[in-house]
């Protein structure tokens, strides 16, 4: 599932939460709880019972009053990766050897490996018309093997109901954490945005990796072509591509603009990627931009 190049790229990366998170062990991410850490937060007045070593003696020399230093506790992250296995993810196109689903599985495997290497807890679920194969977040090496097995067994074919599945997933991340959605996002945009807003209201950080096949972005078809519905295989239609290309490209641009604008307003990271990209450079650029 991961190539040696993928492992090498992952070993150089670090995925940090942008927002404050709740965790269950010491880690790399900012916590809402105060504790011992290297990052200073604020002073507060000394009260009986505070540790003497926490007193800021330099400040005492300037003010003749006792204050203690408070630091921002660091915690590990609880993340949930959702992988779309609806029928549209079968699409491969003419210019890449991977379908969108195959690309999504490898991307999910890379992200899970990266998170567990940081001692973060990561879970997984696949989705189509509903949430399936739910693995709750943990941070052990044996847990990573369970995630690999679930990804390897993931199959595509059902319809798309992302909003329904996301609403079901809302109960899987009970505390502030990270949700990673890997999908082509081919669904009703308004319903999808409303579902993702549920996580943001719960102070969960959200990252959306939107996957396209190159053919979906530039519609390269020139000759008379039969198109088949991947979520409704019995639906077939023979068309002249040149007759519908402008309409297709306009609708695609409108859809992407609506989704991008909505995610920006919700402060959700959107990473658009294509199935002919190498995962190492993609993740390196993504983490550099976030950090």
């Amino acid at each position: 599932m991961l190539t040696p190049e993928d492992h090498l790229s992952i070993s150089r990366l670090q995925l940090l939460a942008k927002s404050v998170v709740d965790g269950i062990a010491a880690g790399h991410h900012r916590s809402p709880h105060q504790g011992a850490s290297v990052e200073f937060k604020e002073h507060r007045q000394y009260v009986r019972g505070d540790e003497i070593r926490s007193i800021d003696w330099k400040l005492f020399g300037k003010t003749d009053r006792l204050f203690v230093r408070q630091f921002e506790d660091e915690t590990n992250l609880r993340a949930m990766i959702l992988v779309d296995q609806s029928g549209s993810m079968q699409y491969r196109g003419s210019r890449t050897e991977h379908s969108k689903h195959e690309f999504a599985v490898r991307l999910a495997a890379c992200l899970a490996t990266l998170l567990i290497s940081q001692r973060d807890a990561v879970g997984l679920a696949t989705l189509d018309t509903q949430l399936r194969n739910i693995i709750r977040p943990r941070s052990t090496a044996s847990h990573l093997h369970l995630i690999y097995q679930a990804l390897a067994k993931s199959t595509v074919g059902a319809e798309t109901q992302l909003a329904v599945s996301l609403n079901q997933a809302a109960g899987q991340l009970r505390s502030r954490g990270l949700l990673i959605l890997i999908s082509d996002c081919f669904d009703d945009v308004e319903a999808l945005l409303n579902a993702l807003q549920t996580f943001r209201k719960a102070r969960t950080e959200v990252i959306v990796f939107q996957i396209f096949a190159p053919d979906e972005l530039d519609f390269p078809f020139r000759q008379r072509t039969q198109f088949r519905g991947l979520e409704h295989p019995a639906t077939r239609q023979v068309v002249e591509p040149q007759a519908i290309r402008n309409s297709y490209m306009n609708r695609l641009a409108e859809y992407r603009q609506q989704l991008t604008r909505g995610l920006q307003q919700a402060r959700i990271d959107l990473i658009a990627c294509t199935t002919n990209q190498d995962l190492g450079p993609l993740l390196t650029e993504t983490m550099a931009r976030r950090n």
Side-chain angles (χ1 to χ4, degrees):
M1 209 173 297
L2 273 68
T3 66
E5 290 78 13
D6 294 335
H7 280 289
L8 182 61
S9 297
I10 290 170
S11 68
R12 299 168 176 166
L13 300 178
Q14 188 175 46
L15 173 56
L16 297 177
K18 289 183 178 178
S19 55
V20 172
V21 300
D22 282 329
I24 56 177
H28 305 280
H29 313 278
R30 287 186 299 138
S31 167
H33 313 295
Q34 292 169 343
S37 172
V38 295
E39 187 172 348
F40 173 75
K41 184 177 182 182
E42 62 185 358
H43 286 101
R44 68 167 173 80
Q45 194 163 355
Y46 173 84
V47 295
R48 188 185 297 269
D50 285 336
E51 292 188 13
I52 299 299
R53 64 182 180 181
S54 66
I55 295 176
D56 190 333
W57 293 107
K58 289 185 178 180
L59 188 59
F60 172 74
K62 295 177 181 178
T63 64
D64 202 29
R65 298 173 62 187
L66 292 175
F67 291 91
V68 296
R69 291 171 300 211
Q70 289 187 304
F71 296 86
E72 206 166 55
D73 191 17
E74 292 178 331
T75 183
N76 73 329
L77 179 70
R78 293 177 65 85
M80 195 74 180
I81 300 175
L82 304 183
V83 177
D84 186 355
Q85 61 175 20
S86 58
S88 63
M89 295 291 287
Q90 292 184 63
Y91 190 70
R92 185 182 309 271
S94 61
R95 287 175 282 178
T96 177
E97 60 182 14
H98 300 296
S99 69
K100 292 191 288 184
H101 181 254
E102 291 166 345
F103 185 90
V105 163
R106 291 187 59 233
L107 176 57
C110 284
L111 290 168
T113 304
L114 172 58
L115 287 163
I116 286 184
S117 72
Q118 299 178 170
R119 294 176 295 146
D120 291 322
V122 58
L124 173 76
T126 56
L127 52 88
D128 40 53
T129 57
Q130 60 182 313
L131 210 60
R132 305 184 188 277
N133 303 320
I134 302 170
I135 300 176
R136 298 187 182 277
R138 290 186 180 177
S139 57
T140 62
S142 59
H143 183 69
L144 182 60
H145 183 64
L146 291 178
I147 291 177
Y148 284 168
Q149 286 183 320
L151 288 170
K153 294 177 181 177
S154 176
T155 57
V156 293
E159 295 183 41
T160 302
Q161 291 186 13
L162 290 179
V164 173
S165 302
L166 286 168
N167 288 328
Q168 292 175 347
Q172 303 301 318
L173 276 176
R174 300 187 183 278
S175 58
R176 287 174 285 198
L178 173 66
L179 177 77
I180 301 175
L181 174 63
I182 305 176
S183 170
D184 56 16
C185 300
F186 286 167
D187 200 1
D188 181 78
V189 175
E190 185 175 354
L192 175 59
L193 292 173
N194 288 337
L196 291 173
Q197 281 279 20
T198 302
F199 293 94
R200 295 298 296 130
K201 290 176 182 177
R203 301 183 184 180
T204 295
E205 188 176 346
V206 180
I207 304 174
V208 176
F209 285 90
Q210 187 179 23
I211 301 174
F212 292 100
D215 289 358
E216 292 175 322
L217 295 178
D218 57 16
F219 204 72
F221 311 101
R222 296 293 181 265
Q223 299 178 343
R224 189 173 176 83
T225 306
Q226 182 186 77
F227 290 88
R228 174 172 58 88
L230 294 176
E231 298 182 9
H232 302 277
T235 303
R236 299 168 184 262
Q237 189 168 357
V238 177
V239 300
E240 291 288 350
Q242 295 297 335
I244 66 169
R245 187 177 189 278
N246 287 341
S247 177
Y248 170 86
M249 295 300 293
N250 289 336
R251 292 188 64 179
L252 176 66
E254 181 181 348
Y255 152 75
R256 295 189 69 184
Q257 185 180 42
Q258 183 183 0
L259 179 64
T260 301
R261 187 188 310 117
L263 293 178
Q264 286 177 342
Q265 291 173 350
R267 291 177 298 158
I268 293 174
D269 282 352
L270 173 64
I271 295 95
C273 42
T274 56
T275 52
N276 58 352
Q277 284 184 270
D278 291 330
L279 289 177
L282 170 65
L283 290 174
T284 300
E285 180 182 350
T286 298
M287 302 312 160
R289 188 167 66 236
R290 284 177 53 80
N291 295 342

